[in-house]
Amino acid sequence: MAEELFTTNGYASTSLDAIVAGAQVTKGALYHHFSGKQALFEAVFERVEADASKRIQKSLRGHQDPWEKARAGLRAFLGVVQEPGYRRIVIQEGPSVLGYERYREQEERSTFANVLEIVRAVLSAGPWELDEAMLQTFARIFFGAMSTAGESVSSAEDPIAAATRVETAIGFILAGFQALADAGVELPAGE
Amino acid sequence: MAEELFTTNGYASTSLDAIVAGAQVTKGALYHHFSGKQALFEAVFERVEADASKRIQKSLRGHQDPWEKARAGLRAFLGVVQEPGYRRIVIQEGPSVLGYERYREQEERSTFANVLEIVRAVLSAGPWELDEAMLQTFARIFFGAMSTAGESVSSAEDPIAAATRVETAIGFILAGFQALADAGVELPAGE
DNA sequence: TACGGCGACGTACCGACGGTATGCAAAGCG
DNA sequence: CGCTTTGCATACCGTCGGTACGTCGCCGTA
């Protein structure tokens, strides 16, 4: 399967010959179904993304409180982001193989959508009035934070401890939000 | 120059022939100085990184207050991250071309070091007792947040407004920290 | 049933690219 | 002044992504 080869060897080091040999087909068949190597990668990318997104959504069910939802989602995301396939295909090579634009389009309607939903829920619980652009900005920031954190978690010598630290740190940031909400602090105006 | 070619076309689509043609040398000369295409990229990567790091450090000078320092550093980072060379070479293709390990080693002693320094200054201003691992975790989170935010900023239809939104969002998070510090809130214990 | 067209592959091949082997002039050195 | 080493130039090779073209089988039609 192409997914394993891309995950273990990376995009550039995975030859089409190796893929077709592993899948028991020929190059003709491959090029009948996909327009090229990049299109094949994109199909794999979408599958991995869809799986991850489904998993995260599943973890969100059952939580009504936004903060609880956020914590559950964070935990699920940290789990997803530690899987070699997601790390390699989506986080590491996605942006460079697909180009940032296509990468973003794909993310926009899967995993990032989940993050956005969570952020929306959390920030709507506060006293702030945020327009859509500001919500997206917050979501981007959290998405990036958690992606990077996930990378460092899964390459740490003790991933479990590292994941705990990340949860603590993000929880701390969320606590800061709560504190601001309780204090009725307004959003600092953009200058 | 190889840097421009890598920036505009990307790593994979930049042939060594194009590089040597542009630099008025031959492949023999190139392979005399670098052990291969990846090593050349790595050299370019280091230069871009060093430049960015220097620029950020410069912006930190003159600020004593940690929060002011953080804001200045954030602004400088958002500037750096909008430059095509840094975006493409460091953020987009760095991880996939160098591999995450080498990428991290490089970042560790340049731009990330700056972020770490800032985070250290900010968090030391609070009443919390953080060990080094926790500091690194916070720094990773902020680094990832700002890298991703920078990507979205520079690909936004109005980059200036987007940058302002990012500054607002991060400022909000920092304000949350301040609120927690003022309230004397402890770090939530890792479970 | 004969047949033509078409979709689903298989196969042989091409051009480009990264990398290497070898040559060779100039500089350093005893 | 010879001999080694450095610094590069050039010709070439293996691999890989992609393509051109052939082939086999199915399906509608007369």
Side-chain angles (χ1 to χ4, degrees):
Chain A
M1 185 63 80
E3 183 175 332
E4 276 105 45
L5 290 172
F6 281 145
T7 299
T8 57
N9 303 343
Y11 179 79
S13 300
T14 300
S15 74
L16 287 184
D17 288 336
I19 292 173
V20 299
Q24 308 269 35
V25 292
T26 62
K27 256 205 289 203
L30 196 157
Y31 269 86
H32 182 73
H33 293 291
F34 304 96
S35 65
K37 193 186 181 183
Q38 180 167 334
L40 170 63
F41 179 85
E42 197 159 341
V44 173
F45 181 98
E46 288 186 35
R47 264 199 20 189
V48 175
E49 258 291 44
D51 279 8
S53 181
K54 232 175 280 175
R55 201 118 43 86
I56 293 177
Q57 280 187 332
K58 209 168 167 183
S59 83
L60 295 182
R61 281 201 278 272
H63 297 278
Q64 192 54 34
D65 177 56
W67 306 96
E68 274 311 306
K69 210 169 172 181
R71 269 174 241 278
L74 166 61
R75 201 159 303 181
F77 190 89
L78 283 179
V80 161
V81 95
Q82 281 181 66
E83 278 162 36
Y86 191 86
R87 288 179 58 200
R88 188 88 186 226
I89 293 172
V90 176
I91 298 183
Q92 264 189 37
E93 307 215 307
S96 82
V97 173
L98 301 182
Y100 181 66
E101 275 312 314
R102 289 200 69 75
Y103 169 79
R104 185 171 168 169
E105 287 168 22
Q106 299 292 343
E107 285 286 77
E108 209 85 40
R109 47 192 165 83
S110 51
T111 304
F112 176 72
N114 293 318
V115 175
L116 179 58
E117 186 198 339
I118 295 173
V119 169
R120 195 190 304 276
V122 167
L123 292 188
S124 299
W128 311 293
E129 290 183 19
L130 301 173
D131 57 0
E132 187 58 27
M134 202 63 215
L135 270 177
Q136 295 252 357
T137 302
F138 269 108
R140 277 280 153 211
I141 286 177
F142 275 102
F143 186 75
M146 285 172 356
S147 295
T148 308
E151 276 281 13
S152 76
V153 162
S154 47
S155 65
E157 71 295 348
D158 184 352
I160 298 176
T164 305
R165 280 197 296 272
V166 170
E167 278 192 47
T168 304
I170 304 253
F172 194 59
I173 293 175
L174 293 180
F177 279 32
Q178 275 181 312
L180 290 178
D182 294 343
V185 173
E186 288 299 310
L187 253 185
E191 45 217 285
Chain B
M1 185 63 80
E3 183 176 332
E4 276 105 47
L5 291 172
F6 281 145
T7 300
T8 57
N9 303 343
Y11 178 79
S13 299
T14 300
S15 74
L16 288 184
D17 288 338
I19 293 173
V20 300
Q24 308 269 33
V25 292
T26 63
K27 257 207 289 202
L30 195 158
Y31 270 85
H32 183 74
H33 292 292
F34 304 96
S35 64
K37 193 185 182 185
Q38 179 168 335
L40 170 63
F41 178 85
E42 196 159 342
V44 172
F45 181 97
E46 289 187 35
R47 264 198 21 188
V48 174
E49 259 289 44
D51 279 9
S53 181
K54 232 176 281 177
R55 201 119 44 86
I56 293 176
Q57 280 187 331
K58 208 168 166 182
S59 83
L60 295 182
R61 279 200 278 273
H63 297 278
Q64 192 55 34
D65 177 57
W67 306 95
E68 274 308 309
K69 211 169 171 180
R71 269 175 240 278
L74 166 61
R75 201 158 303 181
F77 189 88
L78 283 180
V80 160
V81 96
Q82 281 182 67
E83 278 162 36
Y86 191 86
R87 288 179 56 200
R88 189 89 186 226
I89 293 172
V90 176
I91 298 182
Q92 266 190 33
E93 307 215 307
S96 81
V97 173
L98 300 182
Y100 182 68
E101 276 311 316
R102 289 199 69 74
Y103 169 78
R104 186 171 168 168
E105 287 169 21
Q106 299 292 343
E107 286 285 78
E108 209 84 40
R109 47 192 166 82
S110 51
T111 304
F112 176 72
N114 292 317
V115 175
L116 178 58
E117 184 199 342
I118 295 172
V119 168
R120 194 190 304 275
V122 166
L123 292 187
S124 298
W128 312 292
E129 290 183 19
L130 301 172
D131 57 359
E132 188 58 27
M134 203 63 215
L135 270 176
Q136 295 253 356
T137 300
F138 269 108
R140 277 281 152 210
I141 287 176
F142 274 101
F143 186 73
M146 287 176 350
S147 295
T148 308
E151 275 283 10
S152 76
V153 161
S154 47
S155 66
E157 71 295 349
D158 184 352
I160 297 176
T164 306
R165 280 196 295 273
V166 170
E167 278 192 47
T168 303
I170 303 252
F172 194 60
I173 293 175
L174 293 181
F177 279 33
Q178 274 182 312
L180 290 177
D182 293 345
V185 173
E186 286 302 308
L187 252 186
E191 46 216 287

